[in-house]
Amino acid sequence: MKVLNVNMSCDPVQGGGSVERTLQMSRYLARSGIECTVLTTDVGLTGDHPVDLEGVSLIKLKTMLQRYYLPRFSCKGIGRIVERADIIQLMNHWTFLNAVVYVIARRRNKPYVVCPAGSLPYYGRSRTLKRIYNTVIGRRIVRNAHRCIAISPDEIDHFRSYGVEDDRISTIPNAIRPEDLAHEGANTFRDDFGIGEAPFILFVGRLNAIKGPDLLLKAFQNRLGCGNFKYDLVFAGPDGGMLTELKGMVADMGVAGRVHFVGYLGNRDKSNAYRASDLLVIPSRQEAMSIVVLEAGMTKTPVLLTDRCGFDAVESIGGGKVVPATVEGLEAGLAKLLDRPEVLRPMGIRLYRYVSENFTWDTMIKKYLSLYETILGDAPWKGVPR
């Protein structure tokens, strides 16, 4: 079997969860004996953060307009790449590259699946352009897919709104590669990043409005105002457009000594950050299924997350707390968990058990292989609408 994975970005720093999913899924396909190719743009793929795909072919298209990931390409060149594949996965949704591959795949009668990873709703900037994209081609890409992959049950309604029937929706959650967070050497995170000795709350992710770092910062300030609050706050992640604003908020609040920005962290430093922290907070305004929950689980770090993260099961298994995606919700969650610090370690252990038993790529790749075999066995896919 030959699989082509298409993602407009494989940038390990700014790409976020969809990039992590694409890279890990491709690696594990290759480990399973599948010939796998990733087609992407060259945005963010520099020598500073190389991508090791461990036996997977990586095809990078030169980008003409980085904001929209608009690549230089030839239809013949893309056609040759598509022709070699038995099945194609289109990751994300609002991408020119997906549209090009879709058109060529349809012409060549190649089966494909779509995995928007939570991107189907109209959210964030460029909403007018997104509506135009959907009118011209986006809805057809989703409706004509041989299978739509939801990464959490919350995403199923997104597909239904595009006219996809339930029998063409498969749920394959995000997963984790345990060895990425298995660092067990000396934890030098505090010394390496000048954090000091105070216990701290951790945020991991892009500093972007959709991730809600401003909500967390305001909730943190409110807790400081209550007195006798001993925790610091650490933001770990690249600038997604909010770093300057957040630093300005910190200065205006007068809490510069209690809030730390440490930038993007590689696997070793990220593992150390989780292990050194008391609590991971995920204040996202919109997310299909947070990968950092899985990372926290592998390091036995309890989590506080919003009900917009696609992972409410965290609370039901006792691995953390789920709250509304508001300043008030996050503040109440911080109070409930941090006023009783003795509950944190048992929560982290329960989350570790849940993640390690259910969300590793060794387990999840079997679902992909089964799905692909089913699709290829159903040729010529006559039931797919035009």
Side-chain angles (χ1 to χ4, degrees), residues 122-160:
Y122 295 108
Y123 189 90
R125 66 185 185 181
S126 305
R127 296 192 185 195
T128 299
L129 287 177
K130 289 177 179 178
R131 289 188 174 91
I132 294 171
Y133 179 88
N134 263 357
T135 299
V136 174
I137 199 168
R139 288 190 174 274
R140 284 188 288 140
I141 293 175
V142 176
R143 286 201 305 265
N144 292 345
H146 298 86
R147 198 63 63 91
C148 296
I149 299 175
I151 64 176
S152 76
D154 292 350
E155 199 174 7
I156 293 174
D157 281 341
H158 299 172
F159 287 117
R160 289 171 178 160

Side-chain angles (χ1 to χ4, degrees), residues 201-232:
I201 303 158
L202 179 66
F203 169 99
V204 176
R206 286 177 293 118
L207 301 179
N208 181 277
I210 199 170
K211 300 293 185 181
D214 55 318
L215 300 179
L216 173 57
L217 181 55
K218 292 173 183 176
F220 175 77
Q221 179 195 27
N222 290 347
R223 291 308 301 158
L224 286 178
C226 294
N228 197 32
F229 188 74
K230 61 183 180 180
Y231 295 88
D232 282 6

Side-chain angles (χ1 to χ4, degrees), residues 7-56:
N7 195 333
M8 64 178 179
S9 171
C10 281
D11 181 354
V13 178
Q14 292 284 358
S18 69
V19 169
E20 178 72 8
R21 183 182 177 103
T22 299
L23 299 180
Q24 297 289 26
M25 175 258 210
S26 299
R27 292 182 182 114
Y28 275 79
L29 284 174
R31 288 186 183 187
S32 301
I34 304 301
E35 185 177 325
C36 188
T37 300
V38 174
L39 177 64
T40 187
T41 68
D42 63 354
V43 175
L45 298 183
T46 67
D48 294 335
H49 300 286
V51 175
D52 181 7
L53 280 174
E54 303 171 14
V56 177

Side-chain angles (χ1 to χ4, degrees), residues 28 175 356-368:
Y28 275 79
S356 60
E357 290 172 4
N358 297 283
F359 296 99
T360 66
W361 272 111
D362 282 324
T363 298
M364 218 58 69
I365 203 63
K366 296 175 184 176
K367 296 185 178 183
Y368 261 112

Side-chain angles (χ1 to χ4, degrees), residues 251-263:
D252 291 341
M253 293 173 179
V255 296
R258 304 290 296 272
V259 180
H260 313 268
F261 296 92
V262 299

Side-chain angles (χ1 to χ4, degrees), residues 235-293:
F235 286 104
D239 182 13
M242 287 195 76
L243 179 59
T244 300
E245 178 184 345
L246 291 169
K247 286 186 173 180
M249 290 171 63
V250 167
D252 291 341
M253 293 173 179
V255 296
R258 304 290 296 272
V259 180
H260 313 268
F261 296 92
V262 299
Y264 170 77
L265 300 178
N267 283 337
R268 180 183 179 278
D269 288 331
K270 183 161 58 174
S271 176
N272 277 340
Y274 283 124
R275 296 172 195 277
S277 69
D278 287 72
L279 177 70
L280 174 75
V281 181
I282 309 168
S284 296
R285 290 180 166 96
Q286 180 68 44
E287 196 156 352
M289 179 188 171
S290 175
I291 286 180
V292 296
V293 171

